[in-house]
Amino acid sequence: MDTKEFRQWAHHFADWMADYYEDIEKFPVKSQVLPGEIGAKLPLFPPAESEDMENIFIDFREIILPGITHWQSPDFFAYFPANGSFPSILGEMLTAALGAQCMIWETSPAAAELEERVMDWLKLMTGLPQSWSGVIQDTASTSTLAAILSAREKYSGFGVNNAGFAGYEGLRVYCSTETHSSIEKAVKIAGIGRQNLVKVQVDDQFRMDVKALRKAITGDLEAGLKPCCVVATLGTTGSTSVDPLSEIAGICREFNLWLHVDAAYGGTALLLPEYRWMTEGIERADSIVFNPHKWMFTNFDCSAYFVKDKESLIRTFEILPEYLKTATRGQVNDYRDWGVPLGRRFRALKLWFVIRSFGVDGLKSRISEHIEMAKWFERQVIASDGFELLAPRIFSVVCFRYHPLGLSAVEVNHFNQQLLQVINKTGKLYLSHTKLNGNFVLRMSIAQTETRQHHVEAAWESIRTIAANLNPKLHNGEKS
Ligand SMILES: *Cc1c(COP(=O)(O)O)cnc(C)c1O
């Protein structure tokens, strides 16, 4: 392909992208294909000869698109969002065009310096301590892995990095029973072992029970184990509960433990001053992650990881083969030493576009609107016969279910499972679920960039109508 043809296709694709967004509500939100359906349409062997972009693009539309779930649809209410925005997409286009591999400052100085600046902006925007340092990682999972590895190395005086675990068996990491699975994954990868992840019980609002945390730590010390790190969550994945950070930070101080804060989704709410109570005590923590790729209109992937002491992060990851030695080392940030991968995408560009194009006030008002819509939805659930809330609403996620009279606990779970399937089968909206206290919970997550009040009202109408039409007697656990 030459530049002339590239130019034509790029214009054509730009039009297609704009049309896609204009028509996005016409697609079924959740892809309706069956397992293997897309694969069956793909050739088993790669083409030996060049194919026309015309044909490739036809296949994109006819084969690929039906197997896409439309995360950018305003009727997407599942999981947490992976929301994007037009400024972000434009930034990603330029990142792709530059194709820069930004592993060290010298391989693209602007990428390193822009990353440093936008991370500083995020600190100002969220009220995080100004003395901390930020780096963009691909995901919260990777950021949390960096935190667990740093905690391990701090505990062992960089001994595990050097000589393996000899003398450091039995490191212990603490989180709540509501913590995201990425913590367990990180503990496994870090060699600490899943058995050494202690899942502390939660209170009636799904927040870590601080007394139980203290008890677990002191019990472990008595047993000769080695408490090393606590992970607190601001906005758990199931119910969006917020762990009591300040009290947890006090315990971490007392026992000299690394405190990592997982705010993957909830962190974006820190843009609003009324949510800053969550980070009371943050100056006594060691690291925090939040994902602009979840609720801050920045296309996946873009995870913001902040540490109090960048030297311990760098010492955990640093490696210096001859071919990566540079004259500028020490004067600049070489981000390859700030995480797992060597190679790095230029992710700061889209984040810069988003912050500038929305403006901080624009970001704040969009986030507030999501929270207001969630409050509206919450009020409908509370006011409506048959529906009930199953967790306090804190951000823009409402945990609820339909509870027809006369059904047993098992039958109610079964009914809601059916309800979710029928809702998602309509293609008009997409919700997901979780379990809290053994109850099957529908999660209404309102955080897609273009979701407006009328989308939420239509969703509520669909949910209500479908629930009313689902005859519980036909769908309960016994009869099916
Ligand atoms: C989504 C989520 C994660 C994982 O995020 P990735 O960026 O996909 O790794 C971790 N923790 C919490 C609380 C989350 O909600």
Side-chain angles (χ1 to χ4, degrees):
M1 187 179 288
D2 57 18
T3 52
K4 182 164 170 268
E5 204 188 334
F6 171 72
R7 187 185 305 278
Q8 280 168 357
W9 279 109
H11 282 291
H12 190 46
F13 282 10
D15 282 336
W16 183 88
M17 288 188 267
D19 291 344
Y20 172 67
Y21 275 91
E22 282 180 352
D23 292 341
I24 197 162
E25 291 179 56
K26 294 181 191 152
F27 293 92
V29 188
K30 182 177 195 272
S31 170
Q32 306 282 324
V33 301
L34 297 170
E37 203 176 317
I38 305 295
K41 293 180 183 157
L42 300 170
L44 291 176
F45 300 99
E49 282 170 18
S50 167
E51 296 192 63
D52 281 347
M53 188 49 66
E54 183 75 51
N55 288 328
I56 300 171
F57 189 46
I58 288 171
D59 286 348
F60 165 77
R61 294 188 321 254
E62 293 181 358
I63 300 175
I64 302 302
L65 213 51
I68 293 296
T69 288
H70 300 279
W71 283 70
Q72 305 312 319
S73 165
D75 300 312
F76 184 97
F77 303 108
Y79 307 100
F80 286 135
N83 67 23
S85 60
F86 291 135
S88 174
I89 295 168
L90 294 172
E92 279 282 51
M93 286 162 66
L94 298 185
T95 289
L98 296 174
Q101 205 277 52
C102 309
M103 57 185 173
I104 51 180
W105 181 87
E106 293 208 352
T107 62
S108 275
E113 296 188 14
L114 183 63
E115 181 160 337
E116 188 173 350
R117 186 55 42 86
V118 289
M119 289 292 99
D120 284 343
W121 282 5
L122 285 186
K123 279 189 296 187
L124 291 168
M125 290 159 62
T126 55
L128 291 175
Q130 289 311 298
S131 58
W132 288 28
S133 307
V135 55
I136 301 179
Q137 307 278 2
D138 54 3
T139 59
S141 302
T142 302
S143 301
T144 292
L145 175 61
I148 302 275
L149 291 170
S150 301
R152 184 192 79 186
E153 290 313 301
K154 187 187 173 204
Y155 187 97
S156 68
F158 299 88
V160 177
N161 260 355
N162 200 39
F165 274 93
Y168 293 104
E169 298 87 356
L171 292 181
R172 302 285 270 181
V173 176
Y174 307 83
C175 64
S176 88
T177 52
E178 290 296 311
T179 305
H180 189 265
S181 56
S182 57
I183 317 305
E184 186 166 325
K185 201 189 238 182
V187 165
K188 289 200 299 182
I189 297 169
I192 291 171
R194 181 162 46 198
Q195 288 177 4
N196 288 313
L197 178 65
V198 183
K199 292 189 178 168
V200 176
Q201 69 190 56
V202 292
D203 65 14
D204 60 354
Q205 294 187 25
F206 309 105
R207 301 172 297 200
M208 189 188 285
D209 177 337
V210 183
K211 282 205 189 96
L213 172 65
R214 172 183 291 278
K215 219 170 130 198
I217 294 169
T218 52
D220 280 351
L221 285 169
E222 279 161 25
L225 295 165
K226 303 181 178 73
C228 163
C229 176
V230 177
V231 180
T233 309
L234 310 180
T236 55
T237 313
S239 72
T240 73
S241 62
V242 174
D243 289 336
L245 189 63
S246 187
E247 290 170 71
I248 295 171
I251 292 179
C252 289
R253 261 289 158 89
E254 186 181 334
F255 294 98
N256 196 24
L257 309 184
W258 186 285
L259 175 53
H260 174 58
V261 181
D262 179 0
Y265 155 76
T268 296
L270 292 171
L271 267 70
L272 306 174
E274 60 269 31
Y275 279 87
R276 298 275 171 89
W277 56 268
M278 296 194 296
T279 40
E280 203 191 308
I282 188 74
E283 65 290 341
R284 287 175 290 162
D286 297 281
S287 52
I288 183 169
V289 58
F290 91 91
N291 283 347
H293 74 224
K294 271 190 171 153
W295 194 11
M296 221 187 86
F297 318 110
T298 308
N299 281 57
F300 190 86
D301 50 2
C302 183
S303 179
Y305 180 56
F306 297 93
V307 288
K308 179 189 281 169
D309 172 22
K310 73 173 184 196
E311 295 314 323
S312 67
L313 176 70
I314 293 170
R315 239 184 111 185
T316 298
F317 287 108
E318 185 171 60
I319 207 122
L320 194 59
E322 185 57 37
Y323 50 81
L324 290 177
K325 286 184 182 158
T326 56
T328 51
R329 191 172 168 69
Q331 298 169 46
V332 295
N333 286 343
D334 290 319
Y335 285 116
R336 66 117 201 274
D337 289 333
W338 294 54
V340 175
L342 168 64
R344 308 181 80 250
R345 277 162 35 72
F346 186 8
R347 297 189 185 88
L349 191 68
K350 61 186 166 185
L351 186 54
W352 191 48
F353 276 36
V354 167
I355 297 171
R356 293 184 63 184
S357 179
F358 279 81
V360 178
D361 289 345
L363 293 171
K364 285 160 78 170
S365 64
R366 195 59 71 89
I367 295 158
S368 297
E369 284 165 28
H370 287 146
I371 294 167
E372 288 308 315
M373 289 186 269
K375 284 182 184 167
W376 179 88
F377 191 89
E378 177 188 32
R379 287 197 298 274
Q380 311 312 305
V381 169
I382 291 170
S384 169
D385 273 351
F387 285 92
E388 61 187 5
L389 277 188
L390 290 181
R393 180 212 48 80
I394 299 181
F395 306 96
S396 67
V397 174
V398 181
C399 290
F400 72 106
R401 69 172 174 182
Y402 191 58
H403 194 159
L405 286 174
L407 297 193
S408 71
V410 173
E411 289 167 346
V412 177
N413 277 358
H414 194 76
F415 180 87
N416 281 278
Q417 219 168 329
Q418 299 271 321
L419 176 59
L420 182 65
Q421 272 181 22
V422 179
I423 288 169
N424 290 340
K425 194 92 190 124
T426 65
K428 283 202 245 164
L429 69 170
Y430 181 21
L431 270 65
S432 59
H433 79 280
T434 190
K435 270 206 170 158
L436 295 170
N437 293 328
N439 293 324
F440 189 92
V441 177
L442 306 178
R443 283 171 82 269
M444 177 78 181
S445 163
I446 304 170
Q448 215 295 313
T449 314
E450 296 303 329
T451 299
R452 299 291 180 271
Q453 179 67 19
H454 72 271
H455 296 107
V456 178
E457 286 177 15
W460 172 241
E461 198 47 46
S462 296
I463 295 165
R464 251 177 20 150
T465 311
I466 293 167
N469 290 338
L470 258 187
N471 184 340
K473 291 292 166 225
L474 289 177
H475 292 275
N476 70 32
E478 289 165 0
K479 298 262 171 73
S480 64

